[in-house]
Amino acid sequence: MNRLGKSLKVLEFAIAAGLTAGLTMVAAQTAAADPAKPDIARGQAIASQVCAACHGADGNSTGGAYPKLAGQHAEYLVKELKDFKSQGGKPPARNNAIMAGFASALSDQDMINVAAWFASQTPKPGYARDAKTVPLGQTIWRAGIADKGVPACAACHGPTGQGIPIQYPRLSGQWSEYIVAQLDAFQQGTRNNNEAMHTIAHRLSDDEIKAVADYAAGLH
């Protein structure tokens, strides 16, 4: 084989080795970026031992003091659990002493597991309780309040309240009392994990909050 042939072979080998190394690196990076796979059976065990007393074994809580978690987006639940924990010495983005204790006891994998369990459950439907406020709640949900700079709730949470994974929770059928409590928390600054909701809540009156929360409870 002449020198040119040998050089070409060396070059081909170098290119092949470089491509192999590059592909190996990309594969490793992709694997690292992939979220851990949930263990739903383990999630059910955690839910029955830790969460059921407040949220129900299947995520359908029995009253508005605690949110329904059944059918909620798993990614959103994981995010919220992390927001209950103190990060880097900073106060948690969601100020709740009870949930801070529970969340601190869960590993990241535990959170993924329990979130997957609740997401896999069927939510029980809710209903609007006050027929007089339905028109106002419907208007806020579908169109917002233009002169207050309040956008339509449906823009982020969907026309039927199904939400969008990670950022925007499912509100369809959620307890109206719980929605009111969270909007109040955004107003008061005890919940600081969504700047847009903090701004929106400040622009809503108490009556508007109650109306749109009651309307959301009846969405399906």
Side-chain angles (χ1 to χ4, degrees), residues 39-60 69 102 106 110 113-115 117-118 121:
D39 182 338
I40 293 183
R42 176 58 183 156
Q44 181 181 12
I46 295 171
S48 65
Q49 295 167 11
V50 180
C51 315
C54 296
H55 298 286
D58 64 349
N60 285 291
L69 302 182
F102 286 130
L106 298 176
D110 288 336
N113 295 341
V114 76
W117 163 253
F118 283 128
Q121 300 305 293

Side-chain angles (χ1 to χ4, degrees), residues 85-160:
K85 299 174 70 171
S86 178
Q87 303 288 340
K90 296 179 180 179
R94 292 191 67 173
N95 185 9
N96 184 302
I98 295 174
M99 281 305 304
F102 286 130
S104 296
L106 298 176
S107 68
D108 287 353
Q109 185 63 54
D110 288 336
M111 292 181 182
I112 291 169
N113 295 341
V114 76
W117 163 253
F118 283 128
S120 71
Q121 300 305 293
T122 301
K124 293 180 179 178
Y127 56 91
R129 297 178 180 178
D130 191 345
K132 297 190 299 295
T133 67
V134 166
L136 175 59
Q138 184 181 70
T139 295
I140 297 171
W141 187 271
R142 294 183 177 180
I145 308 174
D147 59 356
K148 286 188 171 184
V150 174
C153 305
C156 295
H157 296 282
T160 60

